[in-house]
Amino acid sequence: MRRSDELHRIVQQIMWLGSRSLGRSVADRPLSSRLVRLAEQGLTLLRDEDGDEVRAWLQIILGQALSSADEGNRVINLERAIGILVRVARAVSRQERPEGWAVAQFEAGRVYEMRDIGDRWANQELAMRYFRAALEEATPDRDPTLFGRAQTALAKVLMERGTQLGREPVEEGIALLEQVVARLDPAGFKELWCDAQSALAGAYNVREAGDPAVNLERALRIYRRIDAVESAETDPEQWANTQVRLGVLLMKRSRGDRLDNHRLAREHFTGALEVYLRVGDRDEASSTYDKLSIVAGTFGEHEEQLRLLRAALADRSRQGAPHLWARTALKLGAVLLDHPEAADSGDLLATRRQGLQLVEDGVAAYEDVVTVGEHGMALYRLAVARRRMREWDPAVSRTDEIAALEAAVAKLRGRFDMLVTVAADLGDALAERGEWARAAQAYELAVAAADELFRACLVSTSRRRRLTFTGNLHQRAAYALARAGRPGDAVLCLEQGRTRTFNEALSPDQDQLRQVARTDPEIHAAYLRAAEAAQDLAARNRELGRFTSAVDGGRAVDSAEYTLGEQVERVRAELADAIAGVRALPGMNAFLREVTMADVTMATRPEEPVVYLAATPSGSVGLIVRHPDDQGPPLDVVWAPLTSERAEAAAREIAEVGRTNGRGLRALLTLLGDELVGPLADRLGPAEALGGDLGGDLGGALGGDSGGGLGGSLAEGPVAGLVVVACGALAHLPLHAATLPGTGEPLAGTHAVAYAPSVRLLLAARRRAEATQPPPVLVAAYDTGQGGGILAEPEATALLGVFGGGRRVTGGLLGELPSGTHIHLACHGGYVPEDPLASGLDLHGGRITLADLLDARPRPLERARLVTLSACETAMIDAGLPDEVVGLPAGILLAGGAGVVCTQWEARDSAAVLLMIAFYRRLLGSGAPARSLRAAQAWLRSATVADILAEEWLPAELRRRLAAPGVPERPFRHPYMWAPFVLVGV
């Protein structure tokens, strides 16, 4: 056969084989080897007269085929391919053959991206350079196929780099892939469209910017679109790849029931594994075994987990793919450490040592692989493994554990999702050793990462998951900062961790807005538009995130919540721009800024410090911020022995108080006094007497000729103020009623205690309380139904008499709230732990819920100086997220109220009526709410039956009850009777 005929035959065969999209299946590898032989034969037959174009074409075919051939050594084949394709990329003239030049650039980039040996970052840099060069010629209009391939390949490299370096490369990759998807018709470019969509879904899966739950749902939707056009029959391996990716996302998914998601993930993985085993793709089969092991671990199937991990490791080479081998080795080592019995070896300690060795080997395998994020998490797993091993083998050093944690932190800077866990664990380990300065630094990294992740959360589900994961991190960090001699930073750390869900809902005061309107009406209008849009979306967001069923631990979340996240992201950016515009105005740089230490000091008043309290595993810390005119240090630190574990146990006991009629309450209050409040009271020092403010004529202020029963009990001893910001589990506790060691008296005996969700909310409440107040107008609402209680109406009637009139309301409360300066609600109420936004007050006209208060526009309590909730459990907050203070008190402050009197447990109606009447009579006698409440409680706990019966204002039903036989002389002395009422705000 003549040379030219032989060459023509080879070219025809190559073109026929090349039309089959080689490289998408392992079944193509033998064909790729055949292509190698054909291309080599063709190149040997070439003569100068055949032209450079044919030579370049055959060389590109040879390079493509070598990169996917199954014959020979893969590494050597790929290096040959790189050499050939780089020479072609340099040889082909861009001016003479722009299309061929672009193909050569793309192919050179593709093989560099596949390269595992050498410097991974350098290989990726070269790959991206070649891909970008190809895209200069391969536009969507000139060559849509090459455009789609090159831009998708570039985006994949960016996505991989983003998982190690941060969010910017991933964001660039998403933008590139969205262009490809928008320009390609899936009917005409099915494979390219599917590849681009798959890469786009993968980018959303690893994306740090935006809400994580929203990103995951986007990725799921994309993979399901791909699944609709692929099938196991026509696209077996591509279909299997999509099943694996669907399974991975389902394991990470927050929407729906977690175990159901894992069962569905197992189905996807199993289907994919069957395909991989059938076609002989051992690499993908190994990866799928690895993922199936995670599902097995979720269901506690540890023997199956070990079997799957060993199957995965059998097909992974430490030399050929060290990072893949290391991933499985780390998992296998962890299972052997935690569940050695599953190995059935008989020697548990030896099995655990084998597990630790596997983890150490896995970490060592990363030393030659430039995957910073993975290496960092491998080091973290090593630290955890050493910590676990130390439980059984004291020879394992804590120093080695800390060294691994420090190395992990160093590699994870900027990777917030990983850093938050690792840095917090490092802080914990250093705190256990008392190395407070180093612990504080580690905690600060963790707090910064946690806050960055929270800011990215857009929907309620994501926010709750993030806050739950963060837990008491801010308290632990603050404790370490205070121990390290940085109490100011400790204060700001605690404030930073408070009411994060509500911070965006806080509005500037009206004076600020009027100043903005005068300075720049356009900026004022832009802010109002953005704020209103943000508030409307926040209301919708809250509603979609409500607990509505037993699904997923009480959540049946509408898919609209995740769609809403995209709107929230846009509106939040608009609000941020509007706020930035306001801050640029003269004198407005502090508009809605983060709280500073100057703000905390501004929240204090003479003889009324602000005190932050936090409990941690190491003990408790109190941070006393005094007014500049007060004696003592401006910022004082108090240490107390109460641990977070004991505080959480106490919070659980308080939750039972109402159901046990106060049984065990006194012992609990003694514990709080001994281990927390007593040391705080000692440091606060003797309270300064307020002279006539609480003495002498107090009986008259309470109304009538009461003699010594009222005046004497209230005139004893000094009194001062105190605002407590109680963090974590301490937010559930009646700290004002804690029994002080030595005196046996409660803290409220010497201090008028108020509580604040945060200084940010406290400052807003102070601005409203200290503004010019109109004459007091009482809105008294009560339930006329059987559930309202016999005393609800007499209580409201008595208080209307104290005010000399007002508005009596039995329904339509939301419409009446704006008319009152003082709102009194005498009715039944309740806290709903599974859905805090449903907590509320029951009136004849229906329930007024926390959600109603938060969503009402305009804010219904703008005129309200004080709101009193004379109902049961109205001070209770979300037990799962105590630092968010999700409950009626914070809702009322956000709705415009300056102060809220509410109850921490079920209040007895007789005690409530007496306390409320005494409180309001004192309040209208020029008393401040906190001091008036303290005075009324002091009177109630010491008053005798004779003292009370002597009061002319006593409602008839109460008079009848107290005159009945068997009533104790001091019927309300027990703290169960007087202590549930607290003031939140000012």
Side-chain angles (χ1 to χ4, degrees):
M1 183 181 295
R2 291 188 307 167
R3 182 192 66 82
S4 59
D5 294 336
E6 177 66 9
L7 182 60
H8 179 73
R9 182 188 65 80
I10 289 173
V11 169
Q12 292 296 316
Q13 287 186 347
I14 289 174
M15 292 178 67
W16 180 80
L17 290 173
S19 67
R20 302 181 57 181
S21 301
L22 298 182
R24 290 177 59 83
S25 168
V26 292
D28 296 334
R29 291 173 185 171
L31 297 179
S32 296
S33 298
R34 186 179 173 191
L35 271 176
V36 169
R37 291 191 291 274
L38 287 169
E40 287 175 335
Q41 291 172 19
L43 286 168
T44 60
L45 292 172
L46 281 180
R47 298 289 185 268
D48 292 341
E49 61 268 20
D50 295 317
D52 293 337
E53 186 172 345
V54 176
R55 183 180 303 277
W57 180 76
L58 284 171
Q59 287 174 329
I60 288 174
I61 294 295
L62 178 58
Q64 290 175 330
L66 282 168
S67 68
S68 59
D70 65 343
E71 292 181 1
N73 183 285
R74 179 181 179 278
V75 173
I76 294 174
N77 285 342
L78 191 60
E79 291 303 301
R80 278 191 65 199
I82 290 172
I84 292 168
L85 291 169
V86 168
R87 285 196 297 273
V88 175
R90 292 172 180 170
V92 175
S93 169
R94 180 176 182 177
Q95 287 73 28
E96 297 176 7
R97 296 181 50 226
E99 293 180 2
W101 179 86
V103 169
Q105 303 304 308
F106 167 71
E107 292 296 342
R110 189 179 63 82
V111 287
Y112 267 117
E113 193 277 328
M114 296 173 65
R115 194 185 198 197
D116 288 328
I117 65 172
D119 186 329
R120 179 64 176 162
W121 295 127
N123 290 335
Q124 288 183 337
E125 288 288 347
L126 287 167
M128 289 193 297
R129 190 172 73 191
Y130 281 116
F131 290 147
R132 293 187 194 278
L135 287 166
E136 292 175 12
E137 294 292 342
T139 64
D141 296 326
R142 292 180 191 170
D143 191 339
T145 298
L146 186 56
F147 161 77
R149 294 181 69 194
Q151 190 137 312
T152 299
L154 174 60
K156 287 179 178 179
V157 178
L158 287 165
M159 184 176 69
E160 182 179 339
R161 290 170 75 82
T163 62
Q164 308 298 326
L165 298 177
R167 61 182 60 184
E168 289 80 7
V170 174
E171 294 304 299
E172 183 184 352
I174 288 173
L176 293 172
L177 291 165
E178 287 177 339
Q179 291 175 14
V180 175
V181 170
R183 295 301 297 263
L184 294 181
D185 179 1
F189 298 92
K190 175 185 170 183
E191 291 179 358
L192 284 176
W193 182 86
C194 286
D195 286 347
Q197 289 278 28
S198 181
L200 181 60
Y204 277 120
N205 182 33
V206 300
R207 189 188 191 204
E208 286 190 10
D211 186 289
V214 172
N215 287 334
L216 191 142
E217 292 300 314
R218 285 173 176 164
L220 270 173
R221 288 198 300 269
I222 293 170
Y223 280 132
R224 283 171 175 156
R225 284 199 292 268
I226 300 170
D227 196 31
V229 301
E230 292 177 339
S231 73
E233 291 73 30
T234 59
D235 313 280
E237 287 169 81
Q238 285 66 50
W239 175 86
N241 294 342
T242 301
Q243 303 311 301
V244 168
R245 289 157 186 161
L246 279 167
V248 169
L249 292 183
L250 285 165
M251 288 195 299
K252 296 171 61 177
R253 196 183 197 196
S254 58
R255 184 180 170 209
D257 180 77
R258 177 173 178 267
L259 294 181
D260 284 346
N261 283 335
H262 274 72
R263 290 187 189 97
L264 187 56
R266 176 178 271 175
E267 292 177 13
H268 285 295
F269 291 146
T270 302
L273 182 62
E274 290 174 358
V275 170
Y276 293 141
L277 292 175
R278 185 176 73 244
V279 302
D281 193 336
R282 295 174 60 186
D283 292 340
E284 291 297 340
S286 173
S287 178
T288 309
Y289 281 130
D290 188 288
K291 294 174 177 65
L292 278 166
S293 76
I294 300 173
V295 178
T298 299
F299 291 107
E301 302 165 358
H302 301 303
E303 291 183 5
E304 174 68 1
Q305 192 178 12
L306 281 176
R307 183 191 71 80
L308 291 165
L309 286 169
R310 284 169 172 158
L313 204 61
D315 280 328
R316 290 191 161 175
S317 165
R318 181 171 180 176
Q319 289 72 35
H323 62 294
L324 298 179
W325 181 88
R327 288 176 191 173
T328 301
L330 289 165
K331 293 188 185 78
L332 179 57
V335 176
L336 291 173
L337 267 167
D338 292 337
H339 305 285
E341 69 285 349
D344 197 24
S345 67
D347 188 338
L348 298 184
L349 182 58
T351 300
R352 289 187 172 109
R353 285 175 174 157
Q354 179 189 357
L356 179 59
Q357 185 62 55
L358 269 172
V359 174
E360 290 174 343
D361 291 345
V363 172
Y366 276 106
E367 294 296 337
D368 298 324
V369 180
V370 189
T371 50
V372 181
E374 280 195 49
H375 193 182
M377 289 308 293
L379 287 162
Y380 174 62
R381 289 192 177 193
L382 175 59
V384 173
R386 286 172 173 166
R387 184 187 314 151
R388 297 283 288 128
M389 192 64 194
R390 200 169 56 253
E391 298 176 21
W392 304 286
D393 186 355
V396 177
S397 167
R398 165 60 67 85
T399 301
D400 290 340
E401 173 196 336
I402 291 176
L405 286 169
E406 289 178 325
V409 166
K411 287 189 174 294
L412 294 174
R413 299 290 180 110
R415 293 305 312 275
F416 302 123
D417 55 333
M418 303 176 188
L419 183 62
V420 62
T421 299
V422 181
D425 271 21
L426 176 58
D428 291 342
L430 292 167
E432 288 179 20
R433 289 173 43 149
E435 297 186 38
W436 295 112
R438 293 172 66 197
Q441 292 173 350
Y443 282 133
E444 284 184 297
L445 287 173
V447 165
D451 291 343
E452 189 72 25
L453 292 169
F454 178 75
R455 278 190 287 272
C457 294
L458 301 174
V459 300
S460 298
T461 305
S462 299
R463 290 188 157 205
R464 186 173 184 87
R465 283 170 62 88
R466 174 50 53 193
L467 292 171
T468 301
F469 181 82
T470 302
N472 68 345
L473 173 61
H474 288 77
Q475 287 97 278
R476 299 184 340 253
Y479 188 94
L481 286 162
R483 285 287 187 190
R486 299 167 56 190
D489 291 333
V491 166
L492 295 179
C493 183
L494 289 176
E495 178 67 23
Q496 187 179 356
R498 303 289 295 168
T499 61
R500 286 160 289 183
T501 302
F502 289 141
N503 280 347
E504 289 180 356
L506 286 173
S507 300
D509 60 44
Q510 294 303 310
D511 287 341
Q512 282 183 307
L513 284 179
R514 281 191 287 270
Q515 182 181 344
V516 174
R518 287 192 300 268
T519 306
D520 193 319
E522 187 175 335
I523 288 179
H524 175 257
Y527 169 76
L528 291 181
R529 284 194 303 271
E532 183 177 356
Q535 289 163 354
D536 289 344
L537 278 176
R540 177 68 175 146
N541 203 351
R542 282 193 296 269
E543 183 59 30
L544 288 172
R546 297 279 293 278
F547 289 70
T548 54
S549 79
V551 177
D552 191 21
R555 303 189 67 84
V557 184
D558 193 313
S559 62
E561 181 180 8
Y562 298 95
T563 304
L564 186 74
E566 300 174 19
Q567 301 175 44
V568 173
E569 189 171 16
R570 174 180 53 79
V571 169
R572 185 189 283 183
E574 292 172 358
L575 180 59
D577 290 342
I579 291 173
V582 174
R583 288 176 179 166
L585 297 176
M588 297 302 297
N589 62 313
F591 184 80
L592 292 179
R593 69 181 180 191
E594 294 291 327
V595 171
T596 65
M597 201 62 208
D599 294 324
V600 180
T601 302
M602 190 186 305
T604 66
R605 293 294 178 269
E607 293 298 329
E608 191 176 294
V610 172
V611 177
Y612 288 84
L613 291 173
T616 75
S618 303
S620 295
V621 62
L623 299 159
I624 305 171
V625 184
R626 292 186 174 88
H627 190 271
D629 294 342
D630 289 349
Q631 294 183 350
L635 177 54
D636 213 348
V637 181
V638 181
W639 304 107
L642 185 72
T643 64
S644 52
E645 182 179 4
R646 290 173 70 85
E648 289 160 7
R652 290 191 293 271
E653 292 180 43
I654 282 294
E656 296 296 320
V657 161
R659 288 181 280 275
T660 60
N661 293 324
R663 188 171 62 248
L665 179 58
R666 279 189 165 132
L668 181 60
L669 295 176
T670 299
L671 168 71
L672 291 177
D674 291 343
E675 297 197 6
L676 179 65
V677 179
L680 173 65
D682 290 342
R683 188 61 59 87
L684 287 169
E688 181 179 328
L690 300 181
D693 192 44
L694 283 174
D697 192 36
L698 190 53
L702 286 166
D705 183 14
S706 60
L710 287 172
S713 67
L714 290 174
E716 295 175 0
V719 66
L722 176 67
V723 180
V724 176
V725 181
C727 303
L730 300 181
H732 299 292
L733 302 177
L735 304 176
H736 62 286
T739 304
L740 300 181
T743 67
E745 290 295 308
L747 177 64
T750 54
H751 290 79
V753 181
Y755 296 88
S758 66
V759 158
R760 182 184 286 272
L761 275 171
L762 177 63
L763 284 168
R766 286 209 187 280
R767 286 195 295 267
R768 293 192 290 269
E770 293 169 1
T772 302
Q773 293 292 326
V777 176
L778 178 68
V779 172
Y782 58 92
D783 189 357
T784 58
Q786 290 184 344
I790 296 174
L791 294 177
E793 184 173 0
E795 179 180 343
T797 300
L799 295 178
L800 286 166
V802 172
F803 275 79
R807 301 179 69 85
R808 186 188 299 265
V809 178
T810 59
L813 177 60
L814 272 178
E816 296 288 346
L817 290 179
S819 62
T821 61
H822 293 71
I823 313 295
H824 183 83
L825 305 174
C827 57
H828 278 297
Y831 176 74
V832 184
E834 65 273 13
D835 184 7
L837 291 173
S839 303
L841 303 154
D842 296 316
L843 293 172
H844 186 63
R847 166 161 280 216
I848 305 299
T849 67
L850 173 58
D852 295 331
L853 291 170
L854 292 174
D855 296 345
R857 292 292 179 272
R859 297 193 303 180
L861 295 170
E862 288 285 1
R863 294 187 69 219
R865 171 63 185 87
L866 185 71
V867 178
T868 302
L869 308 178
S870 184
C872 303
E873 300 181 339
T874 49
M876 295 185 72
I877 59 175
D878 188 345
L881 298 173
D883 287 312
E884 295 310 295
V885 205
V886 179
L888 285 169
I892 287 170
L893 295 181
L894 288 166
V900 190
V901 174
C902 44
T903 56
Q904 290 188 309
W905 58 81
E906 182 180 349
R908 289 297 181 92
D909 57 355
S910 297
V913 172
L914 288 170
L915 184 67
M916 287 296 99
I917 296 173
F919 166 66
Y920 275 109
R921 287 178 176 271
R922 179 70 189 90
L923 184 68
L924 293 186
S926 302
R931 301 183 184 209
S932 299
L933 179 61
R934 175 251 167 207
Q937 288 175 318
W939 168 74
L940 184 64
R941 60 189 285 262
S942 62
T944 65
V945 171
D947 293 333
I948 300 169
L949 290 175
E951 299 298 338
E952 294 180 358
W953 45 261
L954 192 67
E957 174 61 23
L958 265 181
R959 189 176 298 279
R960 184 190 66 77
R961 292 184 185 184
L962 290 170
V967 177
E969 182 183 7
R970 285 186 168 83
F972 305 108
R973 185 163 186 79
H974 196 286
Y976 173 66
M977 297 292 186
W978 63 264
F981 286 90
V982 296
L983 173 69
V984 178
V986 296

